[in-house]
Amino acid sequence: MSTYSVTTYSELKNAVASAGSGDTISIGASISCSARIKISTSGITMKAKSGVTPVLDFSAISSTTGDSGIGIYVTGSNNAFSGFIVQYAGDNGMKIEGANNTVTNCIFRYNGDTGLQISKSTAKSNTIKYCDSYRNCDTATEGENADGFACKLSAGAGNQFIGCRSFQNSDDGWDSYNMNNDVTYTDCITWHNGDASITKYAGNGNGFKLGSSGSTGARTMTRCIAWDTQYSGKKGFDQNNGVGAVTLVNCLSFDNVIGYQLDEASSLTMTNCREFNCDSDELPSGVSVTKITDTSKQASIRNAVKTACNKILSNCENDIITGAITLDIWG
């Protein structure tokens, strides 16, 4: 097993071409990348050097769309990525089409399409942990496609997001358009998407978009929060005409126009899900959420969530990886 220490684009490109299963690429400095980085090898680790938070800047391809405009394009499997920032790619910041990849403690920002996207049938059982994705915007289609995170377009089964945050993107926080396989979300937060005053253009701007017309994939969500969805979008949790089974446990929606729009689910299980300061819900007959009416309780929850999210934004803008957070609001 070899370790490749890199500080320049040329070194990074050569390391990616040379590394094999079991090898590590250690990024020791911020790098201006003149073209995309394609990871077709399997079993490598690409991570920040200890004590460094490198920024991989793809401004050189910021006007390039399609696959050539992707920052990091992963077609290999069983790879691990951690500790760096991806910005200004013309298309996705990172796109994953392989299986069993893990992305941990990364930031995706200012890209020309979704910050991190999982798609294609070969993209199975990938895990995204403690990552932040924000202020991504697709100018070519006036903000309609750039989500924070997406697992869509016929991605395979078993993909999951754990402890990730998505905010201030031109389109949705999360999108699973045309997705008939399962997706799991745990401890994820989304807020304030679809605000054209931030991203210049705005698409739908909903929180968690869980499907599209006729899509059948199951969605499982635990301790997820959608708040401040009042801009181009209106919905915190949006099934978007999907008809798959949906399970929500300990989820929270507040300061949204529509808290939960899940009325077309083939089956819907909601356990200890709550909301406040939402105008309405669209749920099947017999399904309801707990309304928090105590204004002091509302203020306590809102303050805890906003404080955490403001800290996340501040960290991101100062090139600091936030990592896992704990919100004690589920009692």
Side-chain angles (χ1 to χ4, degrees):
M1 295 184 289
S2 300
T3 296
Y4 298 82
S5 297
V6 303
T7 57
T8 67
Y9 175 70
S10 178
E11 290 173 345
L12 177 57
K13 182 179 178 182
N14 290 337
V16 168
S18 300
S21 181
D23 292 344
T24 296
I25 299 171
S26 176
I27 306 172
S30 294
I31 297 174
S32 295
C33 299
S34 57
R36 74 179 186 189
I37 299 295
K38 186 172 183 180
I39 311 291
S40 55
T41 304
S42 294
I44 69 169
T45 296
M46 180 172 157
K47 66 179 184 178
K49 180 182 177 181
S50 180
V52 178
T53 305
V55 178
L56 302 184
D57 187 290
F58 291 91
S59 295
I61 58 169
S62 61
S63 60
T64 304
T65 58
D67 287 354
S68 295
I70 296 169
I72 301 177
Y73 187 15
V74 184
T75 58
S77 298
N78 299 297
N79 299 297
F81 305 90
S82 64
F84 53 83
I85 298 169
V86 178
Q87 65 182 28
Y88 293 118
D91 202 90
N92 301 132
M94 176 181 278
K95 186 175 185 181
I96 298 175
E97 294 181 352
N100 297 295
N101 296 286
T102 302
V103 184
T104 308
N105 291 336
C106 289
I107 297 172
F108 304 92
R109 66 189 184 193
Y110 300 104
N111 298 294
D113 205 327
T114 296
L116 182 146
Q117 179 170 314
I118 302 170
S119 58
K120 201 171 181 180
S121 62
T122 51
K124 304 175 182 179
S125 299
N126 297 287
T127 299
I128 316 303
K129 298 176 64 176
Y130 315 135
C131 292
D132 295 301
S133 189
Y134 74 107
R135 296 184 185 171
N136 300 288
C137 178
D138 51 311
T139 58
T141 48
E142 299 188 346
E144 289 288 340
N145 293 317
D147 310 297
F149 297 99
C151 183
K152 63 182 184 179
L153 298 175
S154 301
N159 294 296
Q160 61 176 330
F161 297 88
I162 301 172
C164 295
R165 287 82 53 161
S166 178
F167 53 97
Q168 297 182 358
N169 300 287
S170 67
D171 204 40
D172 306 304
W174 266 265
D175 192 5
S176 54
Y177 179 86
N178 190 22
M179 181 62 192
N180 291 327
N181 285 309
D182 63 295
V183 188
T184 300
Y185 315 77
T186 305
D187 293 318
C188 293
I189 309 174
T190 184
W191 72 96
H192 204 122
N193 299 291
D195 184 350
S197 71
I198 292 176
T199 53
K200 185 176 179 180
Y201 298 105
N204 297 130
N206 293 301
F208 294 99
K209 183 175 284 183
L210 303 180
S212 56
S213 181
S215 63
T216 58
R219 306 287 179 262
T220 302
M221 313 189 74
T222 305
R223 293 183 304 276
C224 290
I225 302 171
W227 68 284
D228 193 23
T229 305
Q230 302 182 34
Y231 303 90
S232 61
K234 309 296 182 186
K235 303 168 185 176
F237 294 79
D238 176 20
Q239 196 171 5
N240 194 38
N241 301 308
V243 294
V246 178
T247 301
L248 280 73
V249 178
N250 287 346
C251 290
L252 172 65
S253 182
F254 70 93
D255 294 349
N256 304 313
V257 178
I258 297 174
Y260 299 88
Q261 186 274 305
L262 302 169
D263 55 317
E264 296 184 53
S266 59
S267 67
L268 174 62
T269 301
M270 301 183 73
T271 303
N272 194 34
C273 293
R274 297 171 291 166
E275 73 173 13
F276 62 90
N277 197 35
C278 298
D279 293 345
S280 63
D281 297 301
E282 298 177 18
L283 297 170
S285 176
V287 177
S288 62
V289 298
T290 299
K291 311 284 187 179
I292 299 175
T293 58
D294 184 327
T295 55
S296 63
K297 184 66 172 177
Q298 292 178 3
S300 175
I301 292 172
R302 183 184 285 113
N303 181 66
V305 174
K306 288 183 71 173
T307 298
C309 292
N310 286 338
K311 180 63 174 178
I312 290 163
L313 172 59
S314 176
N315 284 348
C316 286
E317 288 292 88
N318 288 286
D319 297 350
I320 298 170
I321 302 291
T322 299
I325 64 169
T326 300
L327 280 171
D328 187 20
I329 62 171
W330 305 111

